[in-house]
Amino acid sequence: MIIRRATTEDFSQMLPIFREVIEGGDAYDFEETASDQDAFDYWFGKGVTSFVAVDDDPVSANQGKVLGFYKIIQNHRGRGSHVANASFMVSRETRGRGIGRKLGEDCLRQAKEMGFKAMQFNFVISTNEPAMKLWKSLGYKELCRLPGAFNHKKLGFVDAVIFFQEL
């Protein structure tokens, strides 16, 4: 697997993963009715830098396939622009293979190289146990919980968590 900067040509492979994740209703605050343009703008809009994890195994039937992706943006403008924010998606079929961890590690490295001083996640869903465990294992601190801030498709209102890490 390699991680590289995403191009707009990757979007055709990213979109089905985006749809799969938001249709789950358990990890992102997008509604299922989000348009393809909404998805494109989220991953390729102004000020957004996105990266993809691609299968590079020459003997794999999936060579060249996008396995997951992330984006880095400023968490705030102006005097808060030194803090990054990121979003991640991994295809359902490749979860549990360490792709999220590799994306998370690469994101931290990229954010430092881009000159950010810290990384903040504003809305991690508390019931998303793999994400909660991953961010803590990568050194993020749970700052607070926003009670009932996310309307989970199956569980109803659950907490969202804010994570932070100095770079």
Side-chain angles (χ1 to χ4, degrees):
M1 178 185 80
I2 60 166
I3 299 173
R4 61 166 173 76
R5 189 174 289 236
T7 67
T8 56
E9 289 77 30
D10 294 315
F11 185 68
S12 64
Q13 290 190 62
M14 295 167 69
L15 184 59
I17 297 170
F18 174 86
R19 292 267 168 239
E20 171 187 279
V21 170
I22 67 168
E23 286 172 5
D26 59 358
Y28 262 80
D29 58 355
F30 277 97
E31 292 287 339
E32 290 91 337
T33 56
S35 70
D36 292 358
Q37 187 65 51
D38 291 335
F40 183 86
D41 293 344
Y42 188 73
W43 297 104
F44 293 101
K46 183 178 179 184
V48 177
T49 305
S50 292
F51 296 84
V52 290
V54 178
D55 187 338
D56 69 337
D57 183 348
V59 297
S60 170
N62 291 324
Q63 184 182 18
K65 184 175 182 179
V66 172
L67 308 172
F69 41 92
Y70 73 90
K71 73 173 193 174
I72 298 176
I73 61 171
Q74 293 176 341
N75 197 46
H76 292 283
R77 297 181 305 255
R79 295 190 181 274
S81 64
H82 60 285
V83 178
N85 179 273
S87 299
F88 299 79
M89 288 189 175
V90 175
S91 74
R92 182 175 292 128
E93 70 184 54
T94 60
R95 290 182 192 154
R97 294 179 22 197
I99 293 167
R101 172 169 293 284
K102 289 177 182 168
L103 289 170
E105 292 168 346
D106 190 72
C107 180
L108 288 170
R109 183 181 59 75
Q110 291 288 348
K112 287 178 193 176
E113 288 180 11
M114 294 168 79
F116 289 107
K117 304 297 181 201
M119 176 76 70
Q120 180 172 321
F121 297 154
N122 299 323
F123 211 76
V124 178
I125 309 311
S126 63
T127 55
N128 185 346
E129 292 177 16
M132 293 290 292
K133 182 179 174 184
L134 175 60
W135 304 138
K136 289 176 184 178
S137 75
L138 288 177
Y140 289 87
K141 303 293 183 243
E142 182 177 323
L143 295 184
C144 69
R145 287 179 177 246
L146 308 170
F150 181 74
N151 189 3
H152 191 286
K153 192 172 187 174
K154 294 179 183 169
L155 303 175
F157 296 104
V158 299
D159 297 351
V161 178
I162 297 175
F163 279 100
F164 189 83
Q165 180 174 165
E166 291 184 21
L167 301 175

